[in-house]
Amino acid sequence: MKNITRFFALIFIIIFASNPAHAVLQIDITKGSVNPLPIALPDLVGGSPADQQIGADIMQVVAADLERSGLFKPIDKKSYIQQITAQNVAAPSFADWRQIDAQALATGTITRQPGGKLQVEFRLYDVLSGQQIAGKSFGTLENNWRRVSHLMADEIYKRLTGEDGYFDSRIVYVSESGPGKTRVKRLAIMDQDGANHKFLTNGRDLVLTPRFSPSSQKIAYLSYAGKRPRVYIRDIETGQEQLLGDFPGMSFAPRFAPDGSKVLMSVSANGNSDIYIMDLASRGKTRITSGDSINTSPSFSPDEKMIVFNSDRGGSQQLYTMTSSGGNVQRISFGDGKYGTPVWSPRGDLIAFTKMHGGKFYIGVMRPDGSGERMLTESYLDEGPTWSPNGRVIIFTRQSPSYGGRAGASKLFSIDLTGYNEREIVTPTDASDPAWSPLLK
């Protein structure tokens, strides 16, 4: 795998003090609605004004990450009684923090090392018990301070919820601009909080449905290069792209296998479409569906033993599962309406999908056997869910109705698995077709 340090400077992480076994503070995230946990996040203590500014910037990003999850409520710094300094950074006065109702507290330092590198250390405390529950040290280059912020937020999230975080990740999507009939669609990528945004393609060719590889800095997507819709793989680091098989018909709806060695896609010819698996090393391809129906939008289970897809083989567009070789096909959607764009949770316990019924669109989830169906969103047009790396948050596209002859705006939104904490993901242009990366390595 190509080195991700072409995007982010290498980070060294050292656990220098933690005692999670005795932690008494933890958020129960299995509830539908959670009262956000009050957490104090004073600026990192630095030795120079420049380092102090970076320390303040880091904690501002940490606070934004945690607040956006809906599970944490960063406390206004103006209410702090104790000011964290170099003298008390490792020994805070918990009584002062209890007075402002803080339940968790993170303190830390930032120091400059020879060669210009930064050393960032932080400790996480349970204020009520006065116990330290986490501690880490990060060594990094100065221009990589934002990634340190996300790693810190991930560690705090993990220690206080018991699940992995998702902040050290990126989102690729289709940027849309221009009038409806001459819409320009470009691939774009950004950190999960919208920072470090950049365009990957120039907009000359229409692009759709980008999907991340779980094991390398590559994405698969549909491109109309040469006026012919086919699946390509693009290396994010180098910008190089390659055609993924020259099929006689249209190839579309690509998605990587969890180990990154294969790609699922649909190939359309003569009025119907079938699902293929392509081995990326040998470029050998295997068709795993057949017949006169339309079979598309395939997605592997995390263990790669099963595939979920949508098909009209029963007369309307519904969700089905099958083994990775195409056997034991089972219908799993039985509610009113049509179902599409299924994607398996990285935890393997749920499948997210788009549902169309009664003139409205929904983002929903169900168990792999079709039970437990729940709608998380409802609007004029919601579609294309994608999971966060920890399987707790879903990002999707929401389009508003047309008005005055103009197409409605297309935006990205996120929703918690419980159906709460719906938020817009701000992008420079209209946006669609999001895909969430795994945690960066």
Side-chain angles (χ1 to χ4, degrees), residues 270-337:
N270 302 319
N272 64 289
S273 64
D274 283 305
I275 296 171
Y276 286 71
I277 296 179
M278 174 172 282
D279 182 273
L280 294 179
S282 67
R283 293 307 169 100
K285 53 184 180 289
T286 303
R287 189 174 75 174
I288 58 173
T289 64
S290 60
D292 296 330
S293 55
I294 295 175
N295 306 291
T296 188
S297 301
S299 173
F300 272 113
S301 62
D303 61 7
E304 296 188 22
K305 293 181 179 180
M306 300 294 292
I307 294 170
V308 64
F309 64 104
N310 64 257
S311 175
D312 64 355
R313 63 184 59 197
S316 66
Q317 188 175 319
Q318 300 294 329
L319 302 186
Y320 294 80
T321 59
M322 61 182 170
T323 64
S324 58
S325 61
N328 192 29
V329 177
Q330 301 287 332
R331 179 174 167 177
I332 62 171
S333 61
F334 294 95
D336 295 331

Side-chain angles (χ1 to χ4, degrees), residues 35-41 63 66-67 69-76 102:
N35 290 325
L37 184 142
I39 183 170
L41 300 165
L66 296 175
E67 189 277 332
S69 75
L71 300 176
F72 299 88
K73 180 183 177 182
I75 296 173
D76 189 339

Side-chain angles (χ1 to χ4, degrees), residues 233-298:
I233 289 184
R234 183 181 185 90
D235 189 310
I236 300 174
E237 293 184 348
T238 66
Q240 295 181 342
E241 63 181 19
Q242 54 184 313
L243 177 64
L244 192 61
D246 194 5
F247 295 89
M250 170 184 176
S251 58
F252 60 103
R255 196 176 293 275
F256 285 93
D259 67 358
S261 67
K262 298 177 286 292
V263 169
L264 284 168
M265 72 181 83
S266 296
V267 177
S268 177
N270 302 319
N272 64 289
S273 64
D274 283 305
I275 296 171
Y276 286 71
I277 296 179
M278 174 172 282
D279 182 273
L280 294 179
S282 67
R283 293 307 169 100
K285 53 184 180 289
T286 303
R287 189 174 75 174
I288 58 173
T289 64
S290 60
D292 296 330
S293 55
I294 295 175
N295 306 291
T296 188
S297 301

Side-chain angles (χ1 to χ4, degrees), residues 56-136:
D57 292 340
I58 287 175
M59 295 310 282
Q60 183 177 11
V61 172
V62 171
D65 279 349
L66 296 175
E67 189 277 332
R68 204 163 44 250
S69 75
L71 300 176
F72 299 88
K73 180 183 177 182
I75 296 173
D76 189 339
K77 290 183 173 65
K78 295 178 182 178
S79 67
Y80 291 177
I81 297 172
Q82 182 186 38
Q83 299 304 308
I84 298 298
T85 65
Q87 287 70 42
N88 61 26
V89 65
S93 172
F94 294 110
D96 290 343
W97 297 101
R98 292 186 195 109
Q99 280 197 44
I100 60 172
D101 297 324
Q103 294 186 40
L105 166 69
T107 67
T109 60
I110 179 169
T111 55
R112 196 166 294 270
Q113 304 296 312
K117 290 185 177 181
L118 298 177
Q119 193 74 24
V120 176
E121 297 183 352
F122 91 100
R123 292 175 169 85
L124 177 65
Y125 298 96
D126 177 342
V127 173
L128 300 182
S129 69
Q131 294 181 18
Q132 179 177 322
I133 53 179
K136 282 195 173 183

Side-chain angles (χ1 to χ4, degrees), residues 52 58 86 89 103 121 140 149 161 190 198 205 218 250 266 274 277 311 367 376 382 391 409 415 428 434:
Q52 290 170 10
I58 287 175
V89 65
Q103 294 186 40
E121 297 183 352
T140 185
S149 307
T161 68
M190 60 186 178
K198 69 176 181 178
D205 299 313
K218 295 179 181 180
M250 170 184 176
S266 296
D274 283 305
I277 296 179
S311 175
R367 298 188 188 97
L376 305 181
D382 286 353
I415 188 79

Side-chain angles (χ1 to χ4, degrees), residues 170-209:
R170 294 185 287 176
I171 295 167
V172 65
Y173 71 97
V174 174
S175 167
E176 301 188 15
S177 59
K181 292 185 178 180
T182 57
R183 199 75 161 156
V184 175
K185 295 192 176 186
R186 295 183 286 176
L187 291 183
I189 193 169
M190 60 186 178
D191 294 350
Q192 57 78 28
D193 63 349
N196 294 317
H197 185 281
K198 69 176 181 178
F199 295 106
L200 300 177
T201 58
N202 55 26
R204 285 197 295 264
D205 299 313
L206 176 66
V207 292
L208 299 169
T209 60

